[in-house]
Amino acid sequence: MFENKTTTSCENNLLTVESLSVTIRNSRKKLIHNLNFSIPQGEIFGLVGESGSGKSLTATVILGMLSKSLEVTSGSVTLGQSEITSLSERELRNIRGRDIAYLSQNYQSFFTPFIKVGQQFIEIIRCHTDMSRKEAKKVAIHWLNKVHLPAERVFNSFPDELSGGQLQRASIASAIMFRPKLIIADEPTTALDVLTGERILDLLSELKEELNCSILLISHDLKHIIKRTQTVGVMYGGQIVEIGKTSAVVANPIHPYTNLLLQSRLRLNKHIQHELPTMLGEPGLIAEEGCPFTKRCPSAMESCSNKVPMNSLGKHHSAACHLVNAEREERYVTR
Amino acid sequence: MLHVNSISKTYHSKPALSDISLYVHAGESIGIIGESGSGKSTLGKIILGLEKPDQGDVHFRGSNLHTLKGQALKAFRRHLQIVFQDPAGSLNPKLPVWKSVVEPLENYPDVIPSFLKEVRHDRKKMAEVLFQKVGLSPELLERYPHQLSGGQKQRIAVARGISLEPDLLVCDEPTSSLDVSVQAQVLNLLKKLQRDLNLSFLFISHDIAAVQFMCERIVVLKDGILVDAFLTNELFSASRHPYTKMLVEMSMEQDR
């Protein structure tokens, strides 16, 4: 019919982040550098990296909630047909909570402590719709059931009467009530123990199927990402240093950072180790020029301080590292 | 060295711990695994004497911890130290970190740890030695907690924990708030210190892989009940409690 403005957002990508850069207004310091990734409809995309790698900041940009002291200097974020970076606050308010839902690690502070959970649900619902209180309660109970909670009891409880897992479930329920297109789950299980965390991730996968939405799963722990995502981006110092199909990245980690992240996972062992493999240095150690990981990299060479472009290995996998070469390509394992 | 005899504890008529018994020998490291709400942290608090059990008692080097008072209790506390999960919360934000590290030594002016013999008169020098013990650069001495990374703060908390050369160090989820890469560094450090100083460890965690690495014996808690206790090398044995088996399976599955 008409030539569409967003010709670049191809096929069925729900979210497209294109050459996104974010800097601090005053110091011109770059926090996110030329970020590129996209999430297809109905997929779970994982973003993994240590503290300070810029993964949560990326989520903030997608939500259009960037702090005033920061600035998007280039690039765009497109959700469906709308370009988020150019929307007004009023338009953004319609998208946030409706089209994009956000789940944080800090489920403890999700609900106001001295108002019953049910009342807070009703408030959220009436904020986005013109339902009566009675109708809103029905909706709330429906979604509390959906996340496998004893709905009536939770509805009439104060937040401190619920366990961590229950609170996280309740916050999920409130996030998905408007059938969002995208759920951003920022370390949703980090504050929970292993079993509860797994159940929360099971729930998210199940809801994804039902709502046919996409999920951006952010974590510092590859353990949570590997099993759940189709595609993964590995972030360091505000850049994606490796990206690809999760199975391909796990089988053939190219960037030394990805490799070290994989190795330093704590794992049960048949033989008890005397020392765990570790990564050199602290997460905040970022090189200003070239590859951000240079200062901690065991295979750093002179050329690493120059700009390292993304090199692709096969169709579904690329990395910003000089180690991508022909010899590597031969050894590439396809699963 | 430490004997916990059939302890029970109830909060608001809900049982948090029922009839728990365990022991720790000198130089041994024991892991306590459980989900949130299993009572593992309550047990840690009782062992430190921060909470009183409703029933049962804790004997540490032959004395009942919960009947001690005043000076006698203070003398015992010196031998029991703790590293918490949240390093930010356990350091005073208004003190440069080296002062936090030597604070316990100021509270116990008569204690002379073996590794601080030569410098016991000089607070700053003691801090330097302790910094070196936990692998921190002396440049960080004058920093405040907010100027340090999570891993560095946790090392400071460990330095503080070992400063009095305690017999038993209780670690309550010492790595779960840290980045994966830093977790391994801190665990390596703890293991090395345990060997070097011949400390006993009570390592409380929900991460079975961390406990396997750190501990010689493992105790599994579920809903306040001790369901399984075994030597670490029997972790994969067929005679494990079904709940332990499930925890193992869960952890293996995550790695594929």
Side-chain angles (χ1 to χ4, degrees):
Chain A
M1 204 160 97
F2 292 106
E3 186 69 36
N4 202 321
K5 266 191 286 179
T6 51
T7 41
T8 43
S9 69
C10 57
E11 301 155 50
N12 52 354
N13 281 341
L14 174 77
L15 179 85
T16 311
V17 174
E18 257 192 300
S19 26
L20 181 75
S21 294
V22 175
T23 53
I24 301 178
R25 257 179 224 279
N26 294 328
S27 66
R28 315 304 303 163
K29 194 182 166 207
K30 269 198 180 169
L31 296 181
I32 287 182
H33 187 75
N34 196 21
L35 213 59
N36 284 296
F37 68 91
S38 54
I39 309 180
Q41 179 79 47
E43 235 192 46
I44 305 186
F45 180 89
L47 211 49
V48 69
E50 293 167 297
S51 351
S53 60
K55 37 190 210 313
S56 294
L57 187 60
T58 309
T60 317
V61 179
I62 297 171
L63 285 161
M65 286 172 63
L66 206 57
S67 134
K68 287 221 167 63
S69 57
L70 306 178
E71 175 181 29
V72 175
T73 39
S74 72
S76 64
V77 177
T78 322
L79 180 82
Q81 297 302 319
S82 36
E83 211 217 271
I84 289 176
T85 32
S86 64
L87 291 183
S88 71
E89 179 57 33
R90 177 180 281 255
E91 290 167 310
L92 275 172
R93 228 177 285 157
N94 278 326
I95 288 184
R96 280 200 293 260
R98 220 171 213 296
D99 290 346
I100 307 180
Y102 179 72
L103 291 174
S104 87
Q105 168 181 3
N106 199 354
Y107 55 81
Q108 301 283 11
S109 63
F110 186 88
F111 294 102
T112 313
F114 43 80
I115 302 176
K116 284 190 176 165
V117 173
Q119 291 310 310
Q120 303 191 45
F121 266 81
I122 289 177
E123 190 186 320
I124 301 169
I125 295 169
R126 303 208 340 142
C127 206
H128 283 280
T129 63
D130 44 14
M131 275 183 211
S132 71
R133 299 193 135 260
K134 224 175 172 179
E135 288 169 314
K137 179 174 177 181
K138 254 193 211 154
V139 174
I141 295 284
H142 170 82
W143 288 102
L144 284 170
N145 272 318
K146 269 267 181 291
V147 295
H148 314 306
L149 281 173
E152 281 288 346
R153 187 171 80 76
V154 171
F155 190 87
N156 290 311
S157 294
F158 285 102
D160 69 336
E161 294 169 338
L162 304 177
S163 73
Q166 286 175 325
L167 274 178
Q168 187 64 299
R169 275 171 196 270
S171 75
I172 291 177
S174 81
I176 57 169
M177 282 189 301
F178 301 103
R179 301 181 171 269
K181 294 177 186 142
L182 175 71
I183 300 176
I184 300 178
D186 191 352
E187 308 263 12
T189 60
T190 310
L192 301 169
D193 64 79
V194 188
L195 288 171
T196 320
E198 281 294 304
R199 283 181 216 129
I200 292 288
L201 291 173
D202 286 342
L203 173 68
L204 276 177
S205 313
E206 179 191 319
L207 290 168
K208 187 209 77 176
E209 292 302 321
E210 193 179 327
L211 304 172
N212 190 28
C213 62
S214 308
I215 298 180
L216 172 60
L217 182 61
I218 298 175
S219 179
H220 73 271
D221 199 342
L222 265 170
K223 229 169 22 195
H224 300 307
I225 300 273
I226 292 174
K227 217 171 88 187
R228 308 282 173 175
T229 60
Q230 282 85 53
T231 318
V232 64
V234 182
M235 268 187 106
Y236 191 83
Q239 298 184 32
I240 286 186
V241 293
E242 184 156 359
I243 190 168
K245 262 178 73 175
T246 309
S247 54
V249 173
V250 173
N252 307 277
I254 293 162
H255 201 285
Y257 179 59
T258 316
N259 213 343
L260 285 166
L261 271 185
L262 281 166
Q263 281 175 20
S264 56
R265 274 180 303 162
L266 273 177
R267 277 186 280 190
L268 277 182
N269 263 298
K270 294 278 171 198
H271 311 284
I272 297 165
Q273 303 152 285
H274 287 292
E275 210 178 337
L276 300 166
T278 53
M279 211 183 287
L280 211 72
E282 288 277 334
L285 205 59
I286 297 161
E288 297 287 326
E289 299 287 322
C291 174
F293 191 59
T294 315
K295 287 187 180 169
R296 295 172 70 189
C297 186
S299 17
M301 39 190 169
E302 224 169 277
S303 51
C304 290
S305 52
N306 302 326
K307 207 177 163 203
V308 191
M310 273 299 212
N311 294 304
S312 54
L313 258 135
K315 229 177 173 178
H316 303 293
H317 189 179
S318 50
C321 184
H322 293 297
L323 292 176
V324 185
N325 55 31
E327 182 215 357
R328 281 277 293 207
E329 226 156 327
E330 265 170 41
R331 282 191 282 141
Y332 201 84
V333 191
T334 31
R335 277 211 208 170
Chain B
M1 187 180 67
L2 177 82
H3 281 271
V4 174
N5 302 319
S6 36
I7 272 185
S8 299
K9 176 85 187 168
T10 309
Y11 286 121
H12 307 298
S13 72
K14 272 191 216 151
L17 290 173
S18 8
D19 200 21
I20 305 280
S21 298
L22 58 91
Y23 62 93
V24 183
H25 293 309
E28 200 182 22
S29 72
I30 310 298
I32 300 180
I33 308 182
E35 290 176 77
S36 17
S38 62
K40 54 190 194 311
S41 292
T42 307
L43 180 59
K45 281 184 196 153
I46 289 175
I47 288 171
L48 285 163
L50 299 173
E51 293 263 3
K52 275 207 158 104
D54 298 341
Q55 269 156 39
D57 48 46
V58 179
H59 282 264
F60 184 69
R61 299 166 127 209
S63 301
N64 185 338
L65 199 62
H66 295 280
T67 56
L68 290 174
K69 282 198 179 86
Q71 282 303 315
L73 179 61
K74 189 181 173 190
F76 258 90
R77 282 242 164 98
R78 177 227 149 166
H79 298 293
L80 290 167
Q81 295 290 318
I82 182 159
V83 175
F84 289 103
Q85 170 176 4
D86 177 18
S90 51
L91 296 172
N92 185 342
K94 289 185 178 168
L95 282 186
V97 287
W98 75 269
K99 286 195 178 158
S100 288
V101 166
V102 295
E103 207 182 2
L105 289 155
E106 285 166 20
N107 293 337
Y108 290 88
D110 301 335
V111 174
I112 305 174
S114 60
F115 48 88
L116 295 173
K117 242 181 242 157
E118 282 96 47
V119 290
R120 188 64 180 93
H121 56 282
D122 187 333
R123 296 196 310 154
K124 197 70 177 268
K125 289 230 171 80
M126 288 196 292
E128 275 173 32
V129 174
L130 285 165
F131 263 55
Q132 189 221 335
K133 275 242 171 294
V134 295
L136 284 172
S137 142
E139 287 162 33
L140 303 176
L141 283 166
E142 296 292 343
R143 300 269 184 99
Y144 288 86
H146 71 271
Q147 295 169 313
L148 298 176
S149 71
Q152 287 167 338
K153 272 185 277 202
Q154 196 58 290
R155 281 173 196 264
I156 304 263
V158 172
R160 192 180 146 106
I162 60 161
S163 62
L164 290 169
E165 205 176 17
D167 291 333
L168 179 72
L169 189 64
V170 177
C171 299
D172 193 354
E173 305 267 10
T175 58
S176 27
S177 67
L178 303 174
D179 275 312
V180 179
S181 59
V182 183
Q183 282 181 12
Q185 291 176 359
V186 172
L187 288 177
N188 281 338
L189 169 71
L190 286 170
K191 194 160 183 169
K192 186 173 171 295
L193 287 172
Q194 195 230 342
R195 236 179 294 139
D196 293 357
L197 303 176
N198 196 28
L199 289 172
S200 296
F201 263 36
L202 200 68
F203 192 88
I204 302 171
S205 176
H206 66 246
D207 188 342
I208 199 165
V211 170
Q212 189 207 21
F213 171 69
M214 287 298 304
C215 303
E216 291 139 38
R217 274 195 296 129
I218 299 177
V219 167
V220 182
L221 288 189
K222 184 177 191 303
D223 304 327
I225 297 165
L226 195 154
V227 295
D228 209 354
F230 49 92
L231 291 172
T232 303
N233 55 23
E234 293 165 357
L235 180 61
F236 299 102
S237 141
S239 55
R240 285 284 65 78
H241 187 277
Y243 182 68
T244 314
K245 283 185 186 162
M246 187 188 68
L247 289 175
V248 169
E249 235 165 73
M250 207 86 175
S251 177
M252 301 287 253
E253 197 192 321
Q254 276 189 334
D255 298 320
R256 282 204 290 193

